[in-house]
């Protein structure tokens, strides 16, 4: 279970994320996209690095507006790769743009990103990983696990004795609805 419940409280960056976001249900397209982008960018780095750069990511990726990011071309890609405020990894930048295009297309097939997730829920972690790898770029087992835990689709974001866990349970996350 999560050691985050011990280390995050009181921390300038981890504390607010732990207490108000991590594990709570998310259905808003921009918020889901943001979480996916942050998880992708965390790969190989610390979560603290990503949280510290979060406001720069929001600015760089137009507040995670799926339509705007999906339309990025070479000029915007180069702008991102030159932006010292974010993680300048070509594979990650390309994945974000591609994944925005995929999410935009989910509106026709599932009513949006949230509808796509709901249509496939519940699944085991291994099944989710296969589905995400088939659908998105730069989504391995850890990225998928953290994305789904952070948005309330998989349990495990908080320990049962963590005070935040009770608020999450009251919010009826997807993992709890299927018990």
């Amino acid at each position: 279970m999560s050691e985050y419940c011990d280390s995050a409280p009181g921390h300038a960056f981890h504390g607010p994320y732990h207490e108000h976001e991590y594990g709570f249900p998310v259905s808003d397209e921009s918020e889901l996209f943001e979480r996916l982008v942050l998880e992708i960018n965390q790969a190989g780095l610390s979560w603290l690095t990503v949280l510290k750069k979060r406001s720069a990511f929001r600015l760089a990726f137009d507040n995670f507006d799926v339509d705007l990011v999906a339309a990025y071309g070479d000029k915007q890609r180069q702008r991102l790769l030159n932006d010292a405020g974010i993680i300048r990894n070509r594979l990650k930048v390309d994945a974000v743009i591609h994944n925005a295009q995929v999410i935009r297309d989910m509106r026709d097939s599932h009513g949006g990103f949230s509808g796509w997730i709901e249509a496939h829920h519940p699944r085991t972690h291994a099944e989710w990983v296969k589905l995400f790898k088939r659908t998105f770029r730069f989504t391995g087992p850890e990225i998928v696990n953290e994305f789904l835990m952070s948005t309330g689709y998989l349990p495990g974001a908080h320990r049962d004795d963590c005070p935040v866990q009770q608020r999450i349970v009251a919010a009826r996350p997807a993992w709890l609805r299927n018990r």
Side-chain angles (χ1 to χ4, degrees):
M1 281 300 191
S2 181
E3 293 177 15
Y4 204 47
C5 298
D6 294 326
S7 62
H11 189 277
F13 291 93
H14 290 297
Y17 180 73
H18 170 266
E19 293 175 24
H20 303 290
E21 294 182 74
Y22 191 49
F24 286 91
V26 176
S27 60
D28 178 77
E29 181 177 77
S30 293
E31 288 181 53
L32 286 168
F33 182 47
E34 176 183 16
R35 296 285 181 88
L36 183 60
V37 170
L38 295 178
E39 293 298 342
I40 287 169
N41 278 279
Q42 187 274 328
L45 302 168
S46 75
W47 187 237
L48 181 57
T49 297
V50 172
L51 289 177
K52 284 181 175 181
K53 291 179 175 280
R54 192 174 190 183
S55 62
F57 273 106
R58 284 183 178 144
L59 184 62
F61 287 102
D62 290 302
N63 289 312
F64 299 102
D65 182 303
V66 170
D67 292 317
L68 292 176
V69 177
Y72 283 1
D74 291 336
K75 183 178 176 182
Q76 290 91 349
R77 180 178 285 106
Q78 195 57 50
R79 173 185 57 81
L80 293 167
L81 292 172
N82 291 328
D83 187 339
I86 66 169
I87 295 158
R88 297 176 292 178
N89 176 301
R90 182 173 297 281
L91 293 175
K92 292 177 181 182
V93 167
D94 288 346
V96 169
I97 296 167
H98 170 81
N99 293 344
Q101 294 164 352
V102 170
I103 291 168
R104 181 192 57 203
D105 293 344
M106 287 176 177
R107 293 176 189 154
D108 291 333
S109 63
H110 292 88
F113 194 11
S114 179
W116 179 83
I117 296 170
E118 288 289 338
H120 295 288
H121 191 268
R123 287 179 179 253
T124 66
H125 177 255
E127 291 168 333
W128 278 116
V129 171
K130 286 180 187 176
L131 178 64
F132 268 70
K133 282 186 163 211
R134 250 190 347 256
T135 309
F136 297 107
R137 287 188 188 162
F138 217 101
T139 54
E142 186 65 22
I143 290 168
V144 171
N145 186 64
E146 282 299 322
F147 170 76
L148 292 170
M149 274 200 318
S150 79
T151 57
Y153 285 94
L154 287 178
H158 298 269
R159 292 190 319 256
D160 287 338
D161 66 342
C162 177
V164 177
Q165 180 70 351
Q166 297 312 311
R167 294 191 355 252
I168 290 172
V169 167
R172 303 288 299 158
W175 63 264
L176 188 60
R177 291 192 315 249
N178 296 311
R179 279 191 164 176

